[in-house]
Amino acid sequence: MRVSVDTEMCCGSGQCVLAVPEVFDQREEDGIVRLLDEHPDGEHHEDVRAAAAVCPAGAITVHEG
């Protein structure tokens, strides 16, 4: 799995950080998503998919395989 984020689309809701703080964080100055781990461990895959699904801006893309 590879994860990418579109910071231009991000609205800073923080749902991704709540779902998987090991993979996502927010910039201090504006709350926009920061990707901490582009290739998360298998134990986080389900949570990363869930974070992408609940992202209100659709800013998270999960690339399987």
Side-chain angles (χ1 to χ4, degrees), residues 2 14 24 30-34 36 40 42 47-48 55 58:
R2 184 175 66 81
F24 303 102
D30 58 8
I32 298 301
V33 67
R34 286 187 332 139
L36 301 176
D47 292 335
V48 169
C55 177

Side-chain angles (χ1 to χ4, degrees), residues 2-3 8-9 14-15 18-19 28-30 32-33 37 40 43 45 48 51 56 59-60 62-63:
R2 184 175 66 81
V3 182
E8 295 295 318
M9 290 178 64
Q15 296 302 305
L18 292 173
E28 187 92 14
E29 64 274 10
D30 58 8
I32 298 301
V33 67
D37 188 354
E43 67 186 78
H45 287 189
V48 169
I60 302 169
V62 176
H63 310 272

Side-chain angles (χ1 to χ4, degrees), residues 1-62:
M1 167 185 283
R2 184 175 66 81
V3 182
S4 60
V5 296
D6 184 336
T7 57
E8 295 295 318
M9 290 178 64
C10 179
C11 65
S13 75
Q15 296 302 305
C16 57
V17 179
L18 292 173
V20 201
E22 300 84 0
V23 177
F24 303 102
D25 197 2
Q26 289 176 284
R27 297 189 307 216
E28 187 92 14
E29 64 274 10
D30 58 8
I32 298 301
V33 67
R34 286 187 332 139
L35 184 60
L36 301 176
D37 188 354
E38 185 178 344
H39 298 282
D41 292 337
E43 67 186 78
H44 299 301
H45 287 189
E46 185 175 328
D47 292 335
V48 169
R49 288 184 195 100
V54 299
C55 177
I60 302 169
T61 302
V62 176

